[in-house]
Amino acid sequence: MTLEDFKLNTKEEFAKAKQRAVSDPDSFWGEIASTFVWKTPFEKVVQYDWNDSHSTEWFCGGKLNITESCLDRHVETHPDKLALIWEPNEPQDTAVKLTYKELLDAVCKFANGLNNLGVTKGDRVCIYLPMVPELTIAVLACARIGAIHSVVFAGFSASALAARIQDSSCSILITADGAFRGGKTVPLKDIADDALKSCDSIKKCIVLQHTFESISWNNRLDVWWHDFIDGLSTSCTPQVMDAEDKLFILYTSGSTGKPKGMVHTCGGYMVYTAYSFMNVFQYQQDDIYWCTADIGWITGHSYMVYGPLLVGATSVHFEGVPSYPNWNRFWEICEKYKVNQFYTAPTAIRALAKHPTTHVTNHDLSSLKVLGSVGEPINEEAWHWYDENVGKSKVPIVDTWWQTETGGILISSLAGVTDQKPTFATLPLPGIQAALVDDKANVLMDTKAEGILTINYPWPSIARTIWGDHKRYQEVYFSAFPGRYFPGDGASRDENGNYRITGRVDDVVIVSGHNLGTAPIENAINEHAEVVESAVVGYPHDIKGNALMAYVILYGTSENPEILIQEIRDLISKTIGPIAKPDRILIVSGLPKTRSGKIMRRILRKIASNEMDQLGDISTLLNPEIVDEIKKALS
Ligand code: PRX
């Protein structure tokens, strides 16, 4: 059997698969898993304990190397098929096209370089690169030798990078001289140098020459990428990994200050990303698939690198941004490569929709067969704009709900196979046992309901732990509703069982598709010498989905509030990255608090959202008078 045999082509096949995945998960997943390359077959499909040890294991006893299923097996049958089409930031620059054979050769070369440095199975390698082909090569080279990759999005600041390197004590950093982002360049090596001042664990820094700008050089630490791979062999024996050995760490924000290093393992992640990619996007062997994400996020890991390669797909990777050199860039690329599946984020769709539709209509988009959305709820207006202008009302849209923690898409329609419904992610995929609960953990039995989303049974690509902090993993995901996985999202369900994700129910705000914990931003603000306390909340924004507003209390009065606000913004940029800068910063003399001293964020959110008539009863607050003062300051 091949993976293709598990492609769901009709509603009936989908229903049958769902039923079988629940009644007999072992044979359902076992058969799918058997279509990949295993060195030693697995003995048991799944074992888990979500009450006590909070452990999940899939394909127990199986031995593999994921890169053999991603690369070697395709090289055996179709070495010259394109794996990757890389579109550079500047449209006039030459695209890079890599066949499966060329990608395997490049991965092996780099893997041999890492081997020569003494990097071995289980070592952590941090990758801080722009969206260049070498990012994919570095990721797969780590997987080839069993090193655990930790990709850090190249928009993060030096201290955010340092915190991630320190947390998992990475021994190698892979970076570039710089990155292009539209009309700007970002001095990545300078940022990395800054980070490395506080990272003793790093033994070598491999630097890709990309922007050709001058950089500072540390002879002890730094080595150029091109020198590093010079003369190395293009064959590298893959390290034998247990199905449950760690494949990668990817950090995500949480409700507290410290980022969570989500750990994904080899076997289950491989099986689920491939299965979900093939089915959600209905990928066919000659299709050209383009996901506009960055590999620094989970969407890039699962649906730009692993999922597509496992299925033998041809993917477009784009270095730039939708607005450069102008707002037709996405559609120009779709036309240029005759893209069949296009997967992007609502924030990009909303930004594109603000510009004349001629940007879209000037291009031939007739190759498109599937449109995808990910990262945050897609609002009705954006959904229809996408459908009508890009899809000409005849291309199915998949609204895919999932998380860094879930590793793969859990709720989505299957393009053109199951029904879509605007703003609804629709139905859980086979094997995903979703349930809505109320805040007292009662399961909502009516089909039509609104509550908190939970998942009641493991799926192969669930993150297994938080690096170095299994207790936090248990607390964040399993303590609110014992025995169930709690993703942190609210949802409603219609009479046909379709899910609509309503948003986070914790202190994480999704801004332009980026998951931002408010606590780390508050910590950054509080570092300012003039600041006593702060509270950051999200409020609706018509392009970004949500924007951030910071309420800040000072020790005294500021002589120059404008400079102070700029300093706070710079501090956030330096500590976390420019993506975390609030849209509005308001200096206040106090924050609404309960009598036990807890900040009433609900009230601050309502004020920021300009919903002054929905503040509720504020008389029980410790300091109700502050609410009027804040309202006044805002107006
Ligand atoms: O709140 C949900 C939202 O994004 C969160 C996960 O963020 P992250 O780990 O960064 O992964 C993003 C890419 C998978 C979720 O808890 N989210 C993601 N996709 C959707 C969504 N909200 C609504 N609809 C979606 N399709």
Side-chain angles (χ1 to χ4, degrees):
M1 290 253 238
T2 68
L3 185 61
E4 275 288 314
D5 297 321
F6 295 90
K7 190 148 180 203
L8 305 169
N9 301 299
T10 61
K11 273 187 195 160
E12 292 68 37
E13 286 176 6
F14 172 71
K16 223 157 130 193
K18 278 190 78 122
Q19 196 268 330
R20 203 165 154 241
V22 173
S23 63
D24 191 359
D26 280 16
S27 52
F28 179 81
W29 289 114
E31 284 171 16
I32 295 170
S34 300
T35 67
F36 294 86
V37 183
W38 294 89
K39 296 264 189 217
T40 307
F42 46 89
E43 287 149 13
K44 189 168 182 3
V45 173
V46 55
Q47 71 191 22
Y48 76 109
D49 166 11
W50 280 5
N51 287 305
D52 200 14
S53 63
H54 301 95
S55 61
T56 305
E57 289 172 55
W58 281 88
F59 312 117
C60 312
K63 307 275 181 211
L64 75 157
N65 185 288
I66 194 169
T67 65
E68 288 195 285
S69 288
C70 286
L71 300 171
D72 304 63
R73 73 163 162 174
H74 303 310
V75 170
E76 276 169 27
T77 53
H78 44 263
D80 300 327
K81 180 170 179 181
L82 285 182
L84 201 70
I85 302 172
W86 177 76
E87 171 72 12
N89 184 57
E90 295 293 340
Q92 69 276 10
D93 287 353
T94 315
V96 172
K97 296 185 179 178
L98 292 177
T99 63
Y100 272 88
K101 170 85 174 75
E102 288 165 337
L103 182 56
L104 175 61
D105 287 353
V107 166
C108 286
K109 251 186 160 185
F110 197 77
N112 284 327
L114 292 174
N115 261 332
N116 291 346
L117 279 182
V119 180
T120 53
K121 181 172 169 178
D123 290 350
R124 277 79 58 210
V125 172
C126 179
I127 305 175
Y128 184 64
L129 280 174
M131 271 293 299
V132 289
E134 288 81 358
L135 174 46
T136 303
I137 292 166
V139 161
L140 294 169
C142 289
R144 188 76 173 181
I145 63 165
I148 302 168
H149 56 79
S150 168
V151 182
V152 176
F153 172 58
F156 275 124
S157 69
S159 52
L161 172 63
R164 285 156 177 75
I165 292 174
Q166 288 159 3
D167 184 69
S168 45
S169 1
C170 298
S171 57
I172 305 290
L173 174 65
I174 304 168
T175 189
D177 47 2
F180 296 113
R181 257 195 101 64
K184 291 190 275 187
T185 56
V186 183
L188 281 193
K189 174 67 164 56
D190 287 355
I191 300 172
D193 285 346
D194 209 8
L196 292 194
K197 285 180 198 151
S198 58
C199 298
D200 294 341
S201 59
I202 296 287
K203 304 285 174 270
K204 232 5 153 219
C205 178
I206 303 162
V207 187
L208 179 76
Q209 196 161 30
H210 183 55
T211 55
F212 287 82
E213 290 183 321
S214 70
I215 53 172
S216 57
W217 197 256
N218 176 337
N219 277 327
R220 182 185 61 83
L221 217 53
D222 299 339
V223 55
W224 285 114
W225 176 294
H226 50 266
D227 291 337
F228 180 73
I229 57 166
D230 190 34
L232 296 181
S233 159
T234 54
S235 95
C236 172
T237 309
Q239 176 67 254
V240 179
M241 306 292 282
D242 190 273
E244 282 302 327
D245 277 338
K246 296 174 176 67
L247 175 63
F248 68 86
I249 304 169
L250 186 60
Y251 287 87
T252 186
S253 304
S255 303
T256 67
K258 202 168 174 243
K260 299 175 292 195
M262 304 313 307
V263 174
H264 284 282
T265 55
C266 297
Y269 181 80
M270 169 177 79
V271 172
Y272 196 79
T273 53
Y275 179 75
S276 54
F277 173 76
M278 175 181 76
N279 278 305
V280 169
F281 296 100
Q282 289 291 301
Y283 185 83
Q284 291 177 333
Q285 277 311 319
D286 293 325
D287 287 347
I288 307 288
Y289 161 85
W290 179 22
C291 169
T292 70
D294 190 292
I295 294 172
W297 308 114
I298 192 67
T299 308
H301 280 59
S302 302
Y303 298 112
M304 293 178 75
V305 179
Y306 288 108
L309 291 175
L310 286 162
V311 170
T314 301
S315 293
V316 175
H317 288 187
F318 174 41
E319 182 185 20
V321 293
S323 56
Y324 182 81
N326 59 56
W327 284 95
N328 72 3
R329 189 72 193 274
F330 269 10
W331 318 122
E332 193 178 85
I333 297 172
C334 281
E335 182 175 9
K336 182 171 172 189
Y337 298 116
K338 301 196 169 38
V339 169
N340 301 112
Q341 288 89 1
F342 176 75
Y343 189 28
T344 197
T347 186
I349 299 167
R350 288 188 296 263
L352 290 157
K354 291 274 171 215
H355 295 85
T357 48
T358 47
H359 285 306
V360 191
T361 52
N362 284 344
H363 293 279
D364 175 6
L365 300 181
S366 57
S367 58
L368 288 173
K369 296 197 287 190
V370 180
L371 297 176
S373 172
V374 61
E376 59 186 304
I378 179 165
N379 52 305
E380 191 101 29
E381 212 183 333
W383 195 98
H384 288 291
W385 184 89
Y386 200 27
D387 179 45
E388 286 157 26
N389 294 289
V390 184
K392 318 290 180 217
S393 303
K394 52 182 191 213
V395 177
I397 295 182
V398 290
D399 177 358
T400 63
W401 175 82
W402 59 297
Q403 313 178 289
T404 306
E405 295 86 333
T406 67
I409 298 167
L410 298 198
I411 306 183
S412 171
S413 51
L414 309 188
V417 173
T418 62
D419 294 337
Q420 63 189 32
K421 179 170 176 178
T423 78
F424 281 71
T426 73
L427 300 175
L429 297 195
I432 306 306
Q433 302 188 24
L436 290 179
V437 295
D438 66 17
D439 52 9
K440 301 201 175 48
N442 301 309
V443 176
L444 305 176
M445 301 307 283
D446 292 343
T447 309
K448 194 168 159 52
E450 175 150 10
I452 296 163
L453 184 61
T454 60
I455 315 287
N456 303 338
Y457 190 83
W459 61 99
S461 64
I462 181 175
R464 305 298 198 257
T465 190
I466 292 176
W467 180 267
D469 200 349
H470 196 64
K471 190 161 171 281
R472 186 174 180 199
Y473 173 80
Q474 178 238 310
E475 279 165 9
V476 175
Y477 304 106
F478 296 97
S479 67
F481 305 102
R484 303 169 193 280
Y485 171 79
F486 166 56
D489 282 323
S492 64
R493 192 169 51 207
D494 74 5
E495 56 290 349
N496 297 318
N498 290 307
Y499 285 86
R500 176 177 202 263
I501 310 302
T502 47
R504 302 290 311 179
V505 294
D506 57 9
D507 289 328
V508 171
V509 184
I510 301 188
V511 180
S512 299
H514 301 309
N515 209 331
L516 297 173
T518 53
I521 305 174
E522 289 164 7
N523 293 346
I525 298 174
N526 298 349
E527 273 182 32
H528 194 287
E530 290 183 47
V531 173
V532 182
E533 193 181 13
S534 61
V536 173
V537 296
Y539 65 95
H541 184 281
D542 62 356
I543 292 181
K544 300 180 186 184
N546 293 293
L548 296 172
M549 172 147 175
Y551 299 86
V552 179
I553 308 177
L554 304 180
Y555 281 106
T557 46
S558 173
E559 284 179 10
N560 194 332
E562 267 173 37
I563 292 182
L564 176 84
I565 284 173
Q566 192 50 47
E567 285 170 355
I568 291 176
R569 292 169 64 78
D570 292 346
L571 203 53
I572 296 168
S573 218
K574 195 167 151 266
T575 320
I576 303 165
I579 48 173
K581 284 194 285 194
D583 272 40
R584 288 147 82 196
I585 297 178
L586 190 69
I587 295 171
V588 293
S589 70
L591 294 168
K593 291 194 174 169
T594 61
R595 288 178 191 274
S596 59
K598 201 166 172 268
I599 299 174
M600 287 294 285
R601 288 165 194 281
R602 186 185 56 77
I603 293 180
L604 295 175
R605 271 195 290 269
K606 292 282 177 205
I607 296 176
S609 314
N610 203 17
E611 293 172 349
M612 306 296 182
D613 52 341
Q614 293 174 35
L615 298 183
D617 180 11
I618 57 169
S619 63
T620 56
L621 292 178
L622 184 68
N623 51 351
E625 69 289 347
I626 202 69
V627 174
D628 268 341
E629 189 196 307
I630 295 177
K631 278 160 66 180
K632 217 182 268 162
L634 204 58
S635 63

